[in-house]
Amino acid sequence: MNSIAVYSGSTVIYWSAIVISVGLVAALFMSASVQLSTRGRLVSMLLFFPLAILFGILLTRILHWYCHSVQYNSFFHAITDYSSGSYVLPAAIPGVWLAAWIAAKLDDGDTAKLLDAAAPGLALTVGIIRLSALFSSACRGKITVSRPILQHLPIAASNVTSSGTVEYRFATFFVHFLLMLVLCAWLLHFLFSRRIVPMKAGRNEGNTIRMFLLYYSASELVLDSTRYDSSFLPINGFVSIVQIIAAVCILFLLIHYSRLSIRANGRRFWHFLLWLLWLVFLGGVGATEYLVQRHGDWYLGCYSAMALCCLGLALIVHRLYLTCCVKREEPATAQ
Amino acid sequence: MSKDTYDFSDLEAILAEFRDEGSSDEAYEPEPAIEVEAPPAPPLPEAVSPVVEPPAEEEAPPREATVRFELAPERPKKKRPVSLKKEPIASDAEEAEKPAKRPRREKKQKEKPEKSTPEKPAEQASIPAEPVYVKRRVPGVLRFLLSILFFVFTLGILGWVILYLHPASDMLSATGSDTRLRLSEKLDVYVNNATSDALGELTYIRKIYTLQEGDTVAPAPDPSGFGTTYDPADIEDLLQRAAVLLDGQKVTFDPTADFVPDEPIRYYLDDTILVIAWKEYIEQRCCTFAEVKIAHGSQLKRKLAEDTYGTSIQLYASDMANASNAVVAMNGDFYSFQTGRGVGTIHVYQRKIYSGKPTQLDTCFFTSSGDMLFARAGELNSEEEIQRYIDENDAVFSLCFGPVLVDNGELQYCATYPIGEIGEEYSRSCIAMTDELHYLLMTINHTPDARPRASVNELARIIYSKNVWKAFNLDGGQTAEIIMMGGPINHVDYGYERAVSDIIYFATAIPEEVRS
């Protein structure tokens, strides 16, 4: 498929850019409707969204420049010319937070609540961005799929190499797109079902965005390893920057919910058990990453184990969150 | 206040006043309001005054305000909202007695003026110094206008995204340079190849084919040119057929060497390239060699992943070799891995400087005539010096790893080096030159029977024993590999290739249409 949708004079519009824009519009409408249905203000969301896009693009480009400075003539060129170059998506996390903070401050709103309303839309946005890779031949799975019966979505995507040959590789971005769609739907359910459940400690606001961060990070932790174009820090060529950010996010959430859980329940034995299990899963992720880098032909076993470990990491944090909530809902007040 | 003093005709005005107050003071309450059980309404006395009760948000329709009559001593100037302060329950009250044990955040919240209870308790209200915080809300009309403005802003951003955002288009000016027409170079190559074809029909002059420097894919090799044998004597026949190409040069291949059992000797021959690849034991180590003789320097090429310098993409060396129609290939310097090590690098690709920092590493330049030139660490300290070096020596590309193992026929000893863990026993790879357009590629690898690998100085000693004129160390470990006939011919560490950023390869120069 031709990656260019419109070519007129000096104007070139790519299919991937169109798909991303459509996805952003869908995410905007979703977030706005969620915001209104949770009695938030539309103006906050409308201010948040463009700021989030701007900050997100800027930060993702800056991190990519930091990891691949040789691709750009200069830092200024990297942040001003977006016609070439690439991005490191998880770097948008602080940009989105900053945008929400500004939007909330300007409208006397609540940052956490605004981000909660935006969380399903953010999941949808990430998913659409991943989907757009199919339209730019950028679905860069490391694993080559040679069996013809598997050479179709959602397992494999065709990729035209620089020499013009067609090869089929694991459709890592498409799988991520599917996961983000599921996450988007689940976050909607979570937002409307859990926000009425009182918490023993901490606020209810912000949990939805934290859940998005948790499961998005877990998915990135394993799927980024399946890419052959991962970005690495200049000082470290073995663990990708995306995996580092994802692991840090999950660790941050573990600490946050551990503190809340201890405040709500006191320090219990099962806290130590959960932390130990979390460390075991983290070790499992590291070990499988090490193995798959050395023994590329073990990818099936390694990535299966890594996916389970990442899921385990996320579920433990989720479990800690549940311990902060009141278990049984209060009966409805008498009419 | 008596009934007479209050006129019901003012009802509409009062209603309007309360509506205005309600809208301007509309508190931002995203949470469901805490339901406070209202006390039972007192029985209506005779003297009543109309008081408008603003409708609750959840009650529909919002416009329908109910009017309740009650004793109205004096309408307050400020609206007195119902205090929503919670009475602490027993357990909370106990907690409240221990303020020191409360979490800091809760204490802060306590200290803050409560949003939902703007009215202070009676005893506190008498304290004049207490500041009154009034939230300034954006008026409704202005909020609507802002919404429109931000929506238009969002649409503008989306338009910009459509026009200027091209994700995953991590192309560099390298590809830009490839898009140049290169008319003169193409003409030269065309004239040269056409002349060779024409003269080949008339006389016995040897044809010299060349490849364009900018081509990222070479002509496919002749499948019938490949072969394997387990008998070293068969190579003698091959060498006789390659006599014209060898032009009197001696080969390194020795039929009496200690070959690795059950390992085939691979070869390829056409008019422009001869390759012999074998494995032999030297000093207990399993060494893989590929001897290459080419007819023209343009047949020695470097390939980057996606043909783009600086891309984040890394590919298996065998994939890159197959994609570029290499007859034989080996790993390069894995430039993308060493760029951030803080040792400085010199990277030249297609005569263009992509990295020209003063480096602590040795650099090997390859000229258009196929020569290897060494620039020692610290020899070239600026891009101007590098450019001058390229121009003076007609250098096409460079490899930055090192150290130099053999220079001008002399074995080099290296005591320390910033990269490559040169004193450790690792899998190693190097490229050497034995004569004009005559090369020797070598790797020393881990083997299933756990043979020792080599330090850099041991590698230098072994390659020097093959009578090479120049030799340069390349990246080792899992990167070290020689690719021929579709895959690695040496035992790669861990039994599986590592994705890398670049390779060097040798290709045939005979155009496919000529061969057919």
Side-chain angles (χ1 to χ4, degrees):
Chain A
M1 178 182 173
N2 192 346
S3 61
I4 296 176
V6 178
Y7 188 87
S8 173
S10 60
T11 305
V12 179
I13 299 177
Y14 291 82
W15 279 115
S16 57
I18 292 175
V19 171
I20 288 176
S21 301
V22 170
L24 286 174
V25 170
L28 171 62
F29 277 98
M30 175 187 280
S31 301
S33 57
V34 170
Q35 173 82 339
L36 288 175
S37 62
T38 54
R39 296 192 200 161
R41 290 188 178 172
L42 183 62
V43 66
S44 305
M45 187 58 73
L46 288 176
L47 175 59
F48 160 74
F49 228 79
L51 287 181
I53 295 172
L54 284 181
F55 291 152
I57 289 174
L58 189 66
L59 289 177
T60 53
R61 171 52 67 90
I62 287 174
L63 190 58
H64 192 266
W65 164 83
Y66 180 69
C67 296
H68 305 279
S69 54
V70 291
Q71 279 197 20
Y72 305 97
N73 295 332
S74 63
F75 174 74
F76 184 75
H77 169 254
I79 61 170
T80 51
D81 182 6
Y82 292 87
S83 59
S84 64
S86 195
Y87 311 84
V88 179
L89 193 57
I93 292 169
V96 168
W97 183 86
L98 183 63
W101 184 79
I102 292 173
K105 282 291 166 194
L106 289 179
D107 195 38
D108 277 342
D110 185 349
T111 308
K113 189 177 182 315
L114 182 64
L115 283 171
D116 274 353
L122 291 174
L124 184 66
T125 305
V126 173
I128 296 292
I129 288 174
R130 292 310 191 206
L131 178 69
S132 73
L134 287 181
F135 296 86
S136 60
S137 300
C139 194
R140 291 163 171 169
K142 191 188 290 179
I143 305 159
T144 307
V145 179
S146 52
R147 291 185 182 179
I149 195 169
L150 300 176
Q151 289 176 343
H152 54 75
L153 291 174
I155 298 168
S158 62
N159 194 10
V160 181
T161 64
S162 58
S163 58
T165 56
V166 177
E167 60 184 7
Y168 286 87
R169 290 180 176 272
F170 173 62
T172 176
F173 282 1
F174 190 77
V175 171
H176 206 183
F177 159 68
L178 294 178
L179 287 177
M180 287 298 109
L181 275 192
V182 172
L183 182 60
C184 173
W186 182 77
L187 284 174
L188 281 172
H189 167 73
F190 180 90
L191 176 66
F192 288 106
S193 64
R194 301 299 298 186
R195 73 193 177 105
I196 56 172
V197 177
M199 291 189 74
K200 288 188 275 188
R203 301 170 65 211
N204 229 334
E205 286 79 18
N207 285 326
T208 310
I209 188 68
R210 287 189 196 104
M211 286 299 140
F212 162 72
L213 196 58
L214 176 67
Y215 287 102
Y216 167 67
S217 299
S219 66
E220 283 282 24
L221 201 54
V222 60
L223 287 177
D224 193 71
S225 176
T226 65
R227 293 172 60 175
Y228 67 71
D229 63 339
S230 298
S231 294
F232 296 91
L233 286 176
I235 53 170
N236 172 17
F238 293 102
V239 183
S240 77
I241 182 69
V242 172
Q243 287 178 306
I244 291 173
I245 293 174
V248 167
C249 286
I250 297 176
L251 179 65
F252 159 75
L253 293 168
L254 176 82
I255 293 170
H256 175 77
Y257 283 122
S258 294
R259 283 182 61 229
L260 288 185
S261 179
I262 289 173
R263 197 191 300 171
N265 307 293
R267 193 169 291 162
R268 301 289 178 84
F269 170 73
W270 46 261
H271 279 128
F272 294 95
L273 201 64
L274 287 176
W275 293 334
L276 183 67
L277 206 57
W278 193 89
L279 287 175
V280 169
F281 282 133
L282 186 67
V285 172
T288 47
E289 175 64 29
Y290 176 86
L291 285 174
V292 82
Q293 283 189 16
R294 264 91 192 144
H295 304 276
D297 51 341
W298 296 1
Y299 64 84
L300 203 58
C302 285
Y303 285 132
S304 302
M306 194 191 289
L308 288 176
C309 289
C310 288
L311 187 64
L313 289 177
L315 288 179
I316 285 173
V317 177
H318 194 137
R319 178 63 204 159
L320 281 169
Y321 155 73
L322 290 177
T323 62
C324 304
C325 301
V326 175
K327 282 184 182 174
R328 191 164 49 84
E329 289 186 19
E330 293 295 327
T333 52
Q335 296 297 316
Chain B
M1 190 178 292
S2 68
K3 187 180 176 182
D4 296 334
T5 57
Y6 218 106
D7 191 356
F8 277 99
S9 61
D10 293 332
L11 181 60
E12 284 302 319
I14 294 165
L15 270 173
E17 191 178 1
F18 271 90
R19 275 184 197 134
D20 288 342
E21 280 188 15
S23 63
S24 62
D25 277 347
E26 182 189 19
Y28 177 61
E29 286 294 331
E31 274 298 284
I34 300 171
E35 291 183 7
V36 178
E37 208 166 313
L44 288 176
E46 287 185 13
V48 290
S49 63
V51 175
V52 177
E53 191 177 50
E57 282 188 21
E58 289 180 350
E59 287 176 1
R63 289 283 180 185
E64 288 178 8
T66 55
V67 179
R68 176 161 64 83
F69 296 91
E70 65 179 23
L71 270 175
E74 240 185 58
R75 190 169 60 81
K77 289 178 181 176
K78 292 287 178 184
K79 186 187 172 188
R80 293 169 63 90
V82 179
S83 173
L84 299 179
K85 190 174 182 180
K86 269 184 170 177
E87 288 297 323
I89 56 175
S91 59
D92 287 349
E94 287 170 13
E95 286 289 317
E97 287 173 4
K98 307 169 191 171
K101 288 188 177 179
R102 280 189 172 276
R104 199 167 41 179
R105 184 174 295 178
E106 288 186 11
K107 272 206 283 186
K108 281 182 181 175
Q109 286 175 352
K110 279 268 176 189
E111 288 163 6
K112 284 180 185 174
E114 289 191 25
K115 293 177 184 176
S116 55
T117 56
E119 185 199 26
K120 297 181 185 67
E123 64 272 16
Q124 290 180 11
S126 60
I127 303 170
E130 189 75 21
V132 177
Y133 296 103
V134 179
K135 280 200 162 187
R136 279 174 292 188
R137 302 288 185 193
V138 183
V141 177
L142 186 57
R143 204 181 307 146
F144 177 74
L145 290 175
L146 280 175
S147 299
I148 299 281
L149 182 69
F150 292 148
F151 188 69
V152 172
F153 185 41
T154 306
L155 290 180
I157 293 281
L158 290 174
W160 176 81
V161 166
I162 283 187
L163 285 174
Y164 295 106
L165 203 66
H166 305 147
S169 62
D170 43 355
M171 294 291 119
L172 179 69
S173 47
T175 48
S177 65
D178 285 338
T179 58
R180 289 178 297 174
L181 285 175
R182 296 174 180 271
L183 281 177
S184 59
E185 187 188 340
K186 286 181 178 176
L187 186 64
D188 286 346
V189 171
Y190 174 78
V191 169
N192 176 72
N193 292 346
T195 307
S196 290
D197 284 341
L199 290 175
E201 301 291 330
L202 300 174
T203 177
Y204 202 65
I205 295 174
R206 185 181 155 211
K207 298 177 185 176
I208 302 292
Y209 293 104
T210 59
L211 299 177
Q212 288 188 46
E213 280 177 18
D215 282 354
T216 55
V217 180
D222 184 2
S224 64
F226 287 103
T228 57
T229 178
Y230 289 89
D231 184 4
D234 291 347
I235 301 300
E236 292 296 331
D237 179 51
L238 179 78
L239 294 177
Q240 285 179 5
R241 285 192 280 140
V244 175
L245 179 65
L246 284 169
D247 199 19
Q249 292 180 7
K250 291 181 180 176
V251 292
T252 306
F253 177 79
D254 180 6
T256 62
D258 183 12
F259 292 102
V260 175
D262 301 326
E263 283 287 343
I265 301 169
R266 299 169 177 86
Y267 58 85
Y268 177 84
L269 177 65
D270 67 22
D271 289 346
T272 60
I273 183 169
L274 166 70
V275 179
I276 309 168
W278 73 95
K279 287 184 184 179
E280 69 173 280
Y281 292 130
I282 301 176
E283 299 178 10
Q284 299 295 316
R285 293 171 175 85
C286 179
C287 305
T288 305
F289 291 96
E291 186 171 5
V292 186
K293 176 70 177 83
I294 51 178
H296 193 270
S298 63
Q299 294 173 254
L300 167 56
K301 300 176 83 70
R302 186 181 197 196
K303 183 173 180 66
L304 308 180
E306 294 285 300
D307 301 313
T308 304
Y309 183 84
T311 179
S312 54
I313 293 170
Q314 294 179 354
L315 299 168
Y316 295 126
S318 56
D319 287 346
M320 283 195 275
N322 295 334
S324 55
N325 288 328
V327 175
V328 65
M330 79 177 304
N331 60 282
D333 54 4
F334 204 164
Y335 76 89
S336 67
F337 185 58
Q338 38 147 323
T339 304
R341 290 186 179 183
V343 292
T345 49
I346 295 174
H347 290 140
V348 177
Y349 178 60
Q350 294 182 357
R351 298 176 187 268
K352 185 176 177 182
I353 302 169
Y354 285 97
S355 175
K357 297 169 188 165
T359 178
Q360 304 167 32
L361 309 179
D362 294 344
T363 306
C364 178
F365 287 90
F366 289 84
T367 68
S368 62
S369 57
D371 284 339
M372 290 168 63
L373 301 176
F374 299 136
R376 301 301 182 115
E379 211 172 298
L380 301 172
N381 293 312
S382 66
E383 290 204 9
E384 292 74 25
E385 288 182 14
I386 299 168
Q387 190 60 56
R388 201 179 312 127
Y389 190 88
I390 293 170
D391 295 339
E392 289 174 358
N393 297 290
D394 200 17
V396 179
F397 66 88
S398 70
L399 298 173
C400 191
F401 203 93
V404 175
L405 305 175
V406 181
D407 194 7
N408 291 324
E410 291 183 6
L411 177 64
Q412 307 290 303
Y413 179 78
C414 185
T416 59
Y417 203 69
I419 61 171
E421 291 93 5
I422 62 166
E424 305 290 323
E425 194 180 89
Y426 272 112
S427 294
R428 303 284 176 185
S429 70
C430 67
I431 181 169
M433 202 168 174
T434 60
D435 210 328
E436 187 184 357
L437 298 174
H438 201 153
Y439 308 87
L440 188 64
L441 318 179
M442 174 185 164
T443 64
I444 297 176
N445 292 97
H446 189 69
T447 53
D449 56 346
R451 285 179 175 269
R453 288 169 286 176
S455 67
V456 163
N457 286 317
E458 290 166 342
L459 173 77
R461 196 174 66 239
I462 292 171
I463 194 74
Y464 179 71
S465 70
K466 293 292 182 182
N467 296 321
V468 299
W469 181 245
K470 293 179 177 180
F472 189 73
N473 182 45
L474 297 173
D475 192 18
Q478 199 177 3
T479 310
E481 58 180 323
I482 296 174
I483 299 116
M484 189 175 176
M485 300 169 79
I489 58 172
N490 58 316
H491 180 85
V492 181
D493 284 9
Y494 305 105
Y496 203 78
E497 288 183 80
R498 168 190 286 166
V500 294
S501 56
D502 57 288
I503 60 167
I504 50 176
Y505 69 96
F506 297 86
T508 179
I510 300 177
E512 291 172 45
E513 57 271 17
V514 171
R515 194 179 65 226
S516 61

